[in-house]
Structures are given as structure tokens and as C-alpha cells.
Amino acid sequence: MRTVYAISGGVSKFAKAKPDKTYQAVVKEAYDYAIEDIGLTFSQFRELVDGSVASYFSDHFTRQLMAAIMAQDYLGLCPKPSHRVEGGGATGGICFQEAWKAIASGYMDICVAYGFETMSHVETWKGNEFIALASDVSFDYPVGGFYSGYYAMMVTRHMKEFGTTVEQLAHVSVKNHANAFHNPYAQKRRRLTIEDVRNAPMVAWPLTRLDICVMSDGAAAAILCSEEGLSRLEAAGAEVPRPLVRVPGIGRGTDAMRMADRPRQSFDDFVECNLLPNEDTAETLAYYRELWADGFRYPGVHSFRAGRMGSKEAYRNAGITDPLTEIDFVELHDAYTSSEIQTYEDMGLCRYGEGGAFAASGKAFMPGVDYGLDLPEEPACPVNPSGGLIACGHPVGATGLMQAVFAIWQLQGSINKHFGDPALQLSNSRRGAIHSHAGTGTYVTVSILEREE
Amino acid sequence: MSKTDPGAKRPETLGGYIVHNLPFPNQLTDETLASLREMAPIQIEQPYSVTYLHSYAQDSPFFAGLTNKVLLGCREPESGYTYATPRGHDMHSGAETDWVVLPNEGTVHAFTVCHFGSEEFLPECPFVLALVEFEGADTLFLTRLVGVDPDEAALDWIGMKVKAKYLRNAKLKPTDVYFVPAE
């Protein structure tokens, strides 16, 4: 595999609705930004780029089949190679990884990954219906198909199993909304209290409206290249910031569509297949053995085996053995406050069962941002410094790419340049992880980005 | 060359238009054409409706079971791994599964109260979704739980013993079975 560099990106402002532009024109906003940021013109880049990967989730929302080719031609990328990818909420993350594969394999030297979603053309309740069609239409959807309901069932089980509290969930909402206060691209920039989150209208018990991301219109684009591609771009006058940002490893996992089908693995199977290297200690093994003795089901409906396997593969490929100390920040798929907590565990930032306490500990918070909370611990690995899906919005096909763009900027040290506010720039940020997640945990991608030393 | 008609016209009808006129420059000049960039977007309604002929295929006996007040599951013939939601082939061996009768009672494994939802189910809010576990089954079953107060949701609903009830007039949906507290 060749080294893959992520050199530039762009994000359209995410909004509830963007009726003033077609989705193609919204993609172009993000695409043009990514090109301008390396100092090239549209025509120069058009000549240099080898091809693209496009992502959007739902043909229902767009009501336009093959919508991606209409973005491809709008961007002037025809007749170069391209394809559309789709994998539910992980669509954007899959798109980033397919572009990575195009470069790593030697198929392309310069590849642009772009993604979009137009969710505003239907009412929210119709949107909920479209999204719920991403559950088994024979056995799940007709029972009362509603994704917030599916996630809320995971929450009640997590609470029952591990003693997780709604206040711990609310910490995630307060954190991500407060982070987004400094991110001009975000849809919801608000300073909230734990009480605000709990007093918001109940959507699916115990998740309130402030525990759940909103629907959005938006697009994002990222440019990936090889050494050769970088030379070609620079020969044409591109100004690519140093140190470079590379993508040393990707990982992906899957699980059954129906939550009801999630298996019940034995402790031995878990240790053999799902344990992370940092968990392979006598103490942690004893901790897990005790969970199994208490009737713990893995993955059950409280844990995402796909997220664990995606993390495990990405960490192995990037040479990470202790994520909490070796990763400086994570942009993860917080469609729900609860799924952020579940994902802490899958990604090994804490052990299974400890996500609630981790959320309220302060370890996932940003240094220097005022949250109005009394947090017992110092930040260790800020999670969703951008504000995540909960505050930035979730135009599905763009979301995973938005994470990539914010990670590129974070590692380039250029947050202030792009946000016009330095608050979310971590000092000396060397390595980040991005995590994109579909369904009730069906496809999960984890990609590692790091600054070249 | 065949005969052509430069005066051909599509017939105009009165039906279907939404407005008679939209604001537009009276004179088309460079300036007024450039000003069109400032025009607000036109948004129109596009209804969409379709009826599918959906086949339950190899899962059909499950729905026939519900109409006869029987809850069926599937079992791998060798390992005995039992699915509480039908599945034609086993995930581990790939073998075709056998139909088995599930117990009429189970326990709540997880639940939620939906106060909001998809358009199709909005009129039914608030409603309770639950995943039920059964003695002897390895996987769960998604269902509606009734007979509990949606405004009094509490974590101790998990573990509650529940029993299956069936719609008298089956709709051939998984909701032909639902659960109520057993005691």
C-alpha cells in the first residue's frame, strides 16, 4: 500500500434547508473551497485530478436516482472515473475510505471524495420514515420504524446493564453544542446546561430533542493524493501546507441489520475476536470476565461490534496500541448522545460499561472551552471538537467527509484560518481518528489521520 | 423529406398551474438578466406515491402463524441456535433453519416510549417499542408493548414478564402479535 495524504477539504455551511441552491451547487461550494485552499483554480485542478468517489445516502430524499453523476458533471469531472457509494449513516466515511483505497492501491494519484444530502425536501416525520426504511421492512419498520426509538432501546439496555445515567448522556450534548459555538459551519451553536437537555421535549424515552442530531442539507469534499500526486499538484503551483497530513490506516466493521439478531458471544470468543490490545491486561480481562458472569451479552444491543472491529482494524493498520494516549482527538458519529457514549467503549477510549462515567469525567472535553460544568478530570482525548453531528448537523452523505475535513484542518493547525476562531485548535495535535456509523451499528468505518513529523 | 409544421403547439389546459405570473423583468437587458441571480428560489410540490407487492417469501410461515395465534421462531438443526425473529438460514453454519414454536411468554430486554416518529406512526404516539427475550431463544423480537403507562416509563420495565396477544383481524404485519404484562 502506498502512503495516502489528505491535503485539503471544504464544507458547505450545514443548514436546515438550502432552497437557494441545487445539491450540485452545494457540493461545488465545498469542492471549490478545497481547491482554493491549496491555491489552484477550478480548471487547473480539473486537469490534474484522476477521478472521484461520490456519496449520498438516500434516493428517497433526493428523489433523483443517479444524483451523484449530476454532481460529477456539475463539477466538470466528466469523463473521469467515479462511482457512488452508499452505506447508511456511514456513507461519508465509506466514501473517504474508497478514495483512500484508490490512492493506496495505485489506481489514482489524485482523488476527490465528495458527499451531500438534501433532507429538507420532506417534512421531518417523512424524513424519519425514509431513514427508518434503513431497517428490516418485514420485521422492524412496520412495528413503529423510528431510528430514535431504536437508539433509545439501546440506551435503556445500557442504563440497565451498566448504570449509565441520563445526566451522563446530557454531558455529551452540552459538550458538543458548546464546541460548535466556535464552529461557524455548525447548524446549532448553543451553550446549554444539563437541565436544558433533560427539559427539552421527550422524543424517545429517555432521549430528548437535545440528545439527537437534526436533519440537514449540506456537502463536504476532501482531496487525497499519493506522493506522485502531490508532486504533480505542486508542480502546477499548489501550496500544500507542511507538515503533511497522511492517512496511515483505515478499518471497517459490520453487524446485522436487525438489532434483535445481534448475537450473544462467549467470553472466549470476545477475547479472541474483539479485544483491543490495550484491554489485554489481567485487570481488564478480570473486569470483563465478571461482566460475563453477570449475564452480559456481547455485542447485545448496547454495544457496536462493527465499531469495535472497525477500530481494531484501523488501530492495527496505523500501529496504535493505546487509543486514549496515542490519539489526540476523535471526530465520531454522535447521531445520539448515547451513541457517542457507546462509541467511546467500542473505540477503546474506555472499557465496555464505562462510557457513561467517561462522558462525565471531562476526558472527552476540549481544553479552554467554557462548558459551565464542574468536570473532575482534565481533557485526555477531546471527542467531537467540531461539535459533532449533534451540533453541526447530519447531511448523511456529507457527514463522514465533514469529519475528515475538520480532522485535516485540526492536524494542519489551520482551524483559526477556516473557523475565524482559534478556540477549537488543539495545540500540538499529532493524530486524530474519524468514525462514521450506519444503521443501528451495521457499517462502521474508522480512519486514522496523522501529521507527518 | 416528410412534411413539417413550424406552427405545431402543445394544447394548453387550465388545470395544473399554481400561479398565473411570477415577478420577472419587463425588459431583458444585461442589468435585468444579471439581477436574476438575486431571485428567490421557486419551490413546488412533488407528490409521490407507490404501492409495492412485497413478498415475505421464506418468512411467510411466521405471518401465517400470527394469524393462527402462534409465534414461530427458527432453529439451526445442528447447533440448536434459535432465532426469535425469523431467519431462513443460520448465520454461522449457513444451514437452512427449522421452524419452532416460541414460548408465549418472555421478558422485556430493552424498551422505549416513542413520543414522536415516522409519519406513518405519528397518530399512534406515544407508543412503546420493546425487544423481548425468550427462554430457549438466542436472539430477540421487536414488538409493541401495551398495558403500561407511556407517561410512567421506568427502567424496571426491563425484566418484566410479558405475554403475547394477537390481533383477531390479522393485518399480516409483525404487529399482528403484541405483548402485555404477564401479571
Side-chain angles (χ1 to χ4, degrees), chain A residues 325-396:
Chain A
T325 59
E326 295 171 35
I327 298 174
D328 298 312
F329 68 93
V330 178
E331 290 284 350
L332 66 78
H333 194 95
D334 59 327
Y336 302 90
T337 52
S338 49
S339 54
E340 174 161 326
I341 284 179
Q342 293 168 282
T343 300
Y344 295 154
E345 301 173 356
D346 301 321
M347 296 188 77
L349 301 180
C350 59
R351 299 186 288 208
Y352 279 114
E354 296 178 338
F358 185 84
S361 71
K363 286 182 182 169
F365 285 67
M366 287 289 285
V369 172
D370 178 20
Y371 297 100
L373 291 170
D374 193 15
L375 299 164
E377 298 201 52
E378 292 299 308
C381 176
V383 174
N384 286 320
S386 68
L389 282 58
I390 281 184
C392 291
H394 182 19
V396 187

Side-chain angles (χ1 to χ4, degrees), chain A residues 14 65 81 177-178 203 214 229 231 234 260-261 265 330 373 414 433 451:
Chain A
F14 290 178
L65 299 190
H177 281 98
V203 174
V214 291
S231 304
E234 292 188 322
D261 283 347
Q265 289 184 211
V330 178
L373 291 170
S414 58
R451 199 175 66 196

Side-chain angles (χ1 to χ4, degrees), chain A residues 194-252:
Chain A
I194 302 289
E195 294 70 36
D196 291 334
V197 180
R198 290 317 303 160
N199 293 335
M202 190 60 72
V203 174
W205 194 87
L207 296 173
T208 74
R209 197 171 283 173
L210 290 173
D211 282 304
I212 303 173
C213 70
V214 291
M215 296 189 201
S216 318
D217 285 1
I223 300 171
L224 279 66
C225 66
S226 64
E227 290 266 12
E228 291 79 354
L230 185 66
S231 304
R232 261 165 52 198
L233 288 163
E234 292 188 322
E239 291 157 15
V240 180
R242 298 293 193 280
L244 291 163
V245 176
R246 66 183 172 207
V247 188
I250 64 169
R252 208 183 284 184

Side-chain angles (χ1 to χ4, degrees), chain B residues 93-105:
Chain B
S93 68
E96 194 172 0
T97 53
D98 297 329
W99 289 104
V100 292
V101 177
L102 291 175
N104 223 41
E105 285 197 5

Side-chain angles (χ1 to χ4, degrees), chain A residues 95-113:
Chain A
C95 184
F96 182 79
Q97 295 196 343
E98 292 309 300
W100 183 91
K101 288 182 195 171
I103 303 294
S105 65
Y107 175 55
M108 292 184 192
D109 284 314
I110 305 166
C111 182
V112 59

